[in-house]
Amino acid sequence: MSYACAIIGLGQIASRYQEDPRRGKTATHAAAMAAHPQCRLVAGYDPDAGQRRRFARAWPGTRVYDDLDALLATECPAIIGLATPVETHAALLRRLLRYRPRALLCEKPLCRNAQELQQLRRMWSALGRDRPIVTCNCTRRWDPLHQWTAQQLRRGRIGRLQTVHTLYSGNFLSTSAHLLDELRMLLGEVAWVHAASTGTADALNGWIGFRSGATAVLQWIDARGYLSYEIDCYGTTGRLRLGQSGFQLESWRTTKHPHFSGYRALTPCRMRHPTGHPGDLAPVIADLVRCIRQRKRPLCTMEDAFRTATLQFALLRSAARGGVRLAV
């Protein structure tokens, strides 16, 4: 059996990132759908004529629409990728949930504010069992290196986790959707947050407390200098650091301190681990197909996306209130 696929919004993550040879073969919704043996990329929608023409040239044989209702009625897609600008996510997501595809991949962030989040929660609850499979594109959930790192932390590979330092660049709502979701994957559920403004619009620094007792620091860096996405985990017997936008892992273990008797120091060491490629969307589409066929839950569920959005808006609310600590 094959599944007809369509993409709503035909810009960068939908298709155009594929024009960058450094990003890999399946860096976009379109490429991942086209590559899966049980998927057929049949159509795309965008109100912009230039985007439609560019998409049609890149993916010969697909049909492009300037009317979303016409696409849904004509093509009847089973799998839909929502890749429009963030200000349209919530309204379009509600519209697509009413259409009820078999599966839906939504770009992050899920929504812009707490009001939109509340509206989405109400609609999701009202759908009951008649819900489509929905996943949010937090690609590190599917990446072998990040999965392996989460497993090592759970097994106590670096002892008891004490603190995590993170660096991120870019827009807070966009990048923190990845970062907060991954921190939950690595460390578990969050108990509290507080944040402070950086003085730059759409950016903040924050502190997160986890139910396990570990804490995490969020530090923003200006992307005009260089991209940054790092998660540095300090345990009682070692350290693991995901760097280079999540493509690289470094590790340390404790040894006798070379200069001070009676103390220990962190020493670089090698760990055998999988290769990471967190920008690859092929595993995301494969997971959606698996979920349709086996009636399973995706690796990043709608509830995960709701929780991430809740943390985002709590951090923003804390910063707006002068850094007050908020239970979540």
Side-chain angles (χ1 to χ4, degrees):
M1 182 176 182
S2 65
Y3 302 99
C5 301
I7 302 172
I8 313 305
L10 304 179
Q12 292 179 319
I13 191 63
S15 173
R16 284 167 46 197
Y17 281 155
Q18 215 58 54
E19 298 168 12
D20 180 353
R22 296 190 176 189
R23 285 185 177 265
K25 294 182 179 179
T26 48
T28 61
H29 289 230
M33 290 172 175
H36 196 284
Q38 292 175 293
C39 291
R40 293 177 289 112
L41 179 60
V42 297
Y45 158 81
D46 200 293
D48 184 271
Q51 295 277 56
R52 295 195 302 272
R53 287 193 296 269
R54 191 167 181 170
F55 184 85
R57 286 196 302 268
W59 307 101
T62 59
R63 292 168 288 280
V64 291
Y65 291 78
D66 61 0
D67 184 316
L68 179 54
D69 289 330
L71 182 152
L72 297 176
T74 304
E75 304 293 347
C76 301
I79 300 175
I80 296 177
L82 178 55
T84 57
V86 62
E87 59 268 19
T88 67
H89 282 184
L92 283 172
L93 184 53
R94 292 196 302 272
R95 190 171 173 184
L96 293 171
L97 287 174
R98 286 191 292 269
Y99 166 74
R100 290 179 173 85
R102 299 288 297 277
L104 175 60
L105 168 59
C106 182
E107 274 306 313
K108 45 77 189 168
L110 196 63
C111 51
R112 294 175 298 174
N113 53 54
Q115 181 181 5
E116 289 184 343
L117 175 60
Q118 187 178 31
Q119 292 169 348
L120 283 171
R121 279 188 180 277
R122 282 199 299 262
M123 183 173 186
W124 184 251
S125 179
L127 288 173
R129 289 190 170 185
D130 195 23
R131 298 166 176 165
I133 298 161
V134 180
T135 196
C136 196
N137 186 22
C138 296
T139 51
R140 288 157 183 84
R141 285 271 180 177
W142 291 268
D143 183 75
L145 176 60
H146 294 253
Q147 292 174 342
W148 182 89
T149 302
Q151 184 183 68
Q152 300 309 303
L153 292 176
R154 287 194 295 270
R155 290 178 176 177
R157 183 69 174 263
I158 60 172
R160 178 177 56 82
L161 190 62
Q162 300 184 95
T163 189
V164 177
H165 294 173
T166 74
L167 295 176
Y168 76 97
S169 57
N171 174 274
F172 171 75
L173 277 182
S174 180
T175 307
S176 72
H178 282 300
L179 184 56
L180 294 171
D181 183 75
E182 180 161 16
L183 286 174
R184 288 183 59 245
M185 181 177 76
L186 296 175
L187 281 72
E189 284 302 338
V190 175
W192 56 263
V193 302
H194 69 98
S197 171
T198 62
T200 299
D202 300 322
L204 57 77
N205 297 327
W207 297 262
I208 301 175
F210 292 83
R211 294 176 187 173
S212 65
T215 59
V217 178
L218 278 63
Q219 180 72 50
W220 178 79
I221 287 181
D222 192 336
R224 290 175 296 183
Y226 49 86
L227 285 177
S228 182
Y229 182 99
E230 297 184 3
I231 299 178
D232 202 350
C233 304
Y234 291 84
T236 53
T237 61
R239 174 185 173 196
L240 290 174
R241 175 179 171 271
L242 288 159
Q244 291 290 1
S245 298
F247 285 76
Q248 182 185 82
L249 180 72
E250 297 175 276
S251 56
W252 291 258
R253 61 184 175 87
T254 56
T255 59
K256 289 182 179 180
H257 203 290
H259 305 297
F260 303 107
S261 299
Y263 292 92
R264 299 184 70 77
L266 285 170
T267 302
C269 66
R270 291 182 178 272
M271 286 186 182
R272 295 184 62 183
H273 56 74
T275 301
H277 199 300
D280 188 5
L281 270 71
V284 185
I285 297 301
D287 188 36
L288 286 180
V289 172
R290 178 188 65 87
C291 290
I292 294 172
R293 294 175 63 84
Q294 300 178 14
R295 298 184 180 181
K296 301 288 188 180
R297 288 161 60 87
L299 291 181
C300 185
T301 66
M302 190 65 158
E303 288 77 14
D304 288 320
F306 284 151
R307 185 60 175 162
T308 294
T310 298
L311 297 176
Q312 289 180 308
F313 301 136
L315 283 161
L316 288 167
R317 192 165 66 251
S318 172
R321 294 170 57 183
V324 64
R325 178 164 152 169
L326 299 174
V328 291

